Amino acid sequence: KGSPVIGATVSVKNGTETVFSDDNGNFSISVSNQNAVLVISSIGYTTKEVATGGKTNLNVQLESSAADMEEVVVTALGVKRDKRSIGFAVQQVKAEDVTVAAPVDVAQGLMGKVAGLNISTSNGLANASSRIVIRGNNSVTGLNQPLIVVDGAIIDNKPTAQSNIEGTENLRDWGNYLSFMNMDNIESISVLKGPNAAALYGARGANGVILITSKKGAKEKGLGLNYNFNTNFQNVYRFQDVQNEYGGGFAAGLWSANPELPKTSSGEYYLPTLYGGSSYGAGGSGIGGYHGTIPGGFNTWDIFSWFGASSSWGPKLDGQMVRWWDGEMRPYSPQPDNRASYYRTGNETTHNVSFSSGGEFGTVRLSATRTDGLAIVPNTFNNATNFALGSNLKISKVFSTEINVAYNQSYRYNTPEIGTNNSWSKFTVYGMSRENKPLEHLYYKNDDGSKRDFGSPYPQQE
C-alpha cells in the first residue's frame, strides 16, 4: 500500500546476520556474497525471500496476511509478538469465541476456552462473582487468582465490598469487575501462564495474567454504525439426588424403628412444625416436631448440631391424609420436584450499538450497551448500562497514543445471600424435607397485595 513497514526482520538465509527496518522502512545489511538471499518478515505480513543478485539497493513489498495474524499474541505490556518466538506459555482467545454463546459475563465466556484455566461462580446466577485460577493454586494462605490487565491498566477483580445488615449474616454477592465488563468492547484476551510469562508485572503476576485488549475502532464502509442484540434463557439444570421414601424427621425419628406422625388429642395425624410443638393441641403422640428430644432429655441440636430442615429420617411417606400447617387435609406423600418449584426460567437481553471509524488520524470507536436480566430466583433481577470510548490516535510517524474510557452503571435487586444459613443455594439443598409442599406463595400476601403478618410462623388453625 506504499506505507513503510516498521520493525521488519531482515536476515540472511542460512546466515547469522539480522537487522530490523527503521521508522521509514529502510534497512542496511552486509552479505558475504553477491548471490545471497534475504528473508524478510513482519507480523501481519507474508514472509518473503529476495535474492540480492549483486544489487546494493532493493525495493521490497510485503503483502498482508490474515493467516499470519492468527499466530500473533498480545504479551506483557500489550506488546504483539509472534507466538512461535516467545519462550513461555500464552494462549489468546478471540472476542467472537468468548461471545459466540452469549454468556452472561466475560469470565463465564472463558470457560472451556483456555487450557488450565478454572473458573467458578459463587451462586450460579448471572453476573455472579467469578473465581479464576490458572494451573491450580500456588499458595495455601495467599491469593491464587491471576492479575487482570485491561489495556495496560491493572484491574482489581475482588468481589464488590459487602455490608452486613445489623444483627444478621446477610452477605450478598454484588459481582466483581469481570461481571460488569461489556463483552462487546473486547478485541482479544491473552492468558499468560506462570511467573515467566508475567515477569514484567513482578510478584503480582505470579499466578498468571489475563490481558484484555479492547476494540479501538477501524475504518468502516459507510457510516460505521453497528447494532447487535442477543437474548438467552437460563433454567436449573439438575439437583442433588435424594430419596423419596421417608418424610421429615430429625434424630428424634431415629430412636424408633417405625416413627409416626404426631396426633392431636382427638387422634388426628398432623404435620409437625419445624421446632416441635403443634397448634392443634397438646397431649398428642408421635415424634413431635422435626427436631424433638432424644433419650437423656437432650434436644437433637445439642448433640448433632444443625443439619438442615430437609433431614428426612421421619415416618414413611405412605399417602395417609394428615392435617397440614395451613389447616388443610392433604396426603402425606413424596414431592420429588418440590425444590424445582422455587425457580423460574431466567432471561437476559442485551442491546449494543457502536460507531467505528478510522483514517490518517488513527481510529476511534464509541459504543453504548444496555442489559436487562431476570434471575432464575423469583423477585431477583438486574440491569446495566455501559458507555465506552476506544481510540488509537497517530500524533506523528513515531508517536501515537491510546485513549480508553468506560462508564458502567449496574443495578441489582435482591441479590441472593452467599455462605450463610439463609443463602438460596443452601436452602435448596438443606431447606426442604421430602414431603414439603411449596405452599408459601399462597399465604405471603393479603388479598389487597400487602405483606401478610402471620403473627406466628404459619397461619395455623387451632
Side-chain angles (χ1 to χ4, degrees):
K1 295 181 179 180
S3 301
V5 179
I6 303 172
T9 302
V10 183
S11 59
V12 179
K13 188 174 184 178
N14 300 322
T16 59
E17 186 76 12
T18 299
V19 298
F20 300 94
S21 61
D22 61 19
D23 294 338
N24 296 314
N26 297 322
F27 68 91
S28 177
I29 190 171
S30 300
V31 295
S32 58
N33 63 77
Q34 294 183 354
N35 296 318
V37 176
L38 301 182
V39 180
I40 304 174
S41 62
S42 182
I43 293 176
Y45 297 90
T46 301
T47 300
K48 191 169 187 177
E49 295 187 2
V50 180
T52 58
K55 298 179 181 178
T56 59
N57 196 336
L58 297 173
N59 185 3
V60 182
Q61 293 184 352
L62 299 182
E63 295 181 355
S64 60
S65 171
D68 286 350
M69 286 299 292
E70 294 180 358
E71 299 300 319
V72 176
V73 294
V74 179
T75 62
L77 301 182
V79 178
K80 292 183 178 180
R81 297 277 301 278
D82 190 323
K83 189 175 183 179
R84 293 170 294 184
S85 69
I86 56 179
F88 50 78
V90 57
Q91 188 169 347
Q92 182 157 300
V93 182
K94 296 181 179 179
E96 53 265 32
D97 294 333
V98 175
T99 60
V100 63
V104 294
D105 57 42
V106 178
Q108 296 188 43
L110 282 174
M111 288 182 178
K113 303 294 193 304
V114 180
L117 186 68
N118 181 269
I119 300 174
S120 57
T121 59
S122 64
N123 56 33
L125 299 185
N127 304 114
S129 295
S130 299
R131 182 177 185 270
I132 305 174
V133 177
I134 301 176
R135 291 179 170 177
N137 294 327
N138 295 321
S139 171
V140 176
T141 59
L143 295 176
N144 289 287
Q145 297 199 62
L147 196 65
I148 308 295
V149 180
V150 180
D151 292 326
I154 296 176
I155 302 299
D156 185 358
N157 197 45
K158 294 179 182 178
T160 304
Q162 304 174 22
S163 59
N164 293 348
I165 299 175
E166 187 176 354
T168 70
E169 296 178 317
N170 290 359
L171 297 176
R172 300 180 181 272
D173 179 17
W174 299 109
N176 52 10
Y177 184 83
L178 289 185
S179 64
F180 298 128
M181 190 173 188
N182 184 4
M183 291 179 290
D184 290 301
N185 294 332
I186 295 177
E187 174 96 23
S188 65
I189 300 175
S190 292
V191 180
L192 311 184
K193 305 174 183 179
N196 292 336
L200 288 178
Y201 294 102
R204 292 176 296 180
N207 297 317
V209 179
I210 295 181
L211 294 173
I212 300 176
T213 304
S214 62
K215 295 177 181 178
K216 306 296 191 302
K219 188 174 182 179
E220 302 278 356
K221 294 181 179 180
L223 296 177
L225 288 174
N226 289 281
Y227 168 79
N228 60 66
F229 165 82
N230 68 68
T231 182
N232 58 51
F233 298 89
Q234 305 99 31
N235 281 289
V236 176
Y237 175 54
R238 65 181 180 182
F239 295 91
Q240 182 181 17
D241 293 333
V242 294
Q243 61 84 31
N244 284 286
E245 188 174 356
Y246 296 93
F250 286 85
L254 298 177
W255 299 102
S256 171
N258 298 294
E260 291 186 354
L261 286 169
K263 295 181 180 180
T264 64
S265 55
S266 62
E268 182 181 70
Y269 286 108
Y270 66 90
L271 198 68
T273 58
L274 182 61
Y275 293 101
S278 168
S279 61
Y280 294 99
S285 60
I287 63 170
Y290 284 130
H291 269 294
T293 58
I294 60 177
F298 295 102
N299 290 307
T300 57
W301 59 82
D302 293 329
I303 305 299
F304 297 96
S305 187
W306 171 262
F307 36 76
S310 67
S311 297
S312 295
W313 300 327
K316 194 169 184 177
L317 296 167
D318 54 8
Q320 64 179 317
M321 298 300 292
V322 300
R323 185 75 64 181
W324 231 255
W325 50 259
D326 63 345
E328 297 292 330
M329 293 293 292
R330 294 185 178 89
Y332 186 65
S333 57
Q335 305 295 316
D337 300 322
N338 57 1
R339 290 172 295 173
S341 63
Y342 285 90
Y343 294 91
R344 64 181 177 183
T345 298
N347 171 245
E348 186 170 86
T349 60
T350 300
H351 301 264
N352 175 264
V353 61
S354 64
F355 166 77
S356 181
S357 183
E360 295 182 358
F361 65 90
T363 59
V364 64
R365 182 179 185 273
L366 292 166
S367 70
T369 305
R370 172 70 181 189
T371 299
D372 293 277
L374 291 174
I376 56 175
V377 179
N379 207 32
T380 296
F381 57 86
N382 65 279
N383 60 61
T385 304
N386 173 277
F387 299 97
L389 164 68
S391 62
N392 188 335
L393 305 179
K394 296 180 181 180
I395 299 176
S396 68
K397 290 184 178 181
V398 297
F399 185 66
S400 63
T401 183
E402 291 184 357
I403 300 176
N404 303 285
V405 180
Y407 172 80
N408 294 285
Q409 182 185 63
S410 180
Y411 177 82
R412 301 187 180 197
Y413 184 78
N414 273 349
T415 295
E417 298 177 25
I418 55 175
T420 70
N421 284 329
N422 297 322
S423 65
W424 189 261
S425 56
K426 185 173 182 179
F427 170 73
T428 301
V429 177
Y430 299 108
M432 285 175 282
S433 54
R434 304 315 311 132
E435 85 287 351
N436 179 272
K437 293 179 181 289
L439 305 173
E440 287 79 4
H441 70 282
L442 301 175
Y443 298 102
Y444 78 95
K445 63 181 179 180
N446 297 310
D447 293 338
D448 61 0
S450 60
K451 181 179 178 180
R452 182 168 187 170
D453 184 7
F454 291 125
S456 61
Y458 296 105
Q460 296 170 351
Q461 300 174 1
E462 294 292 345

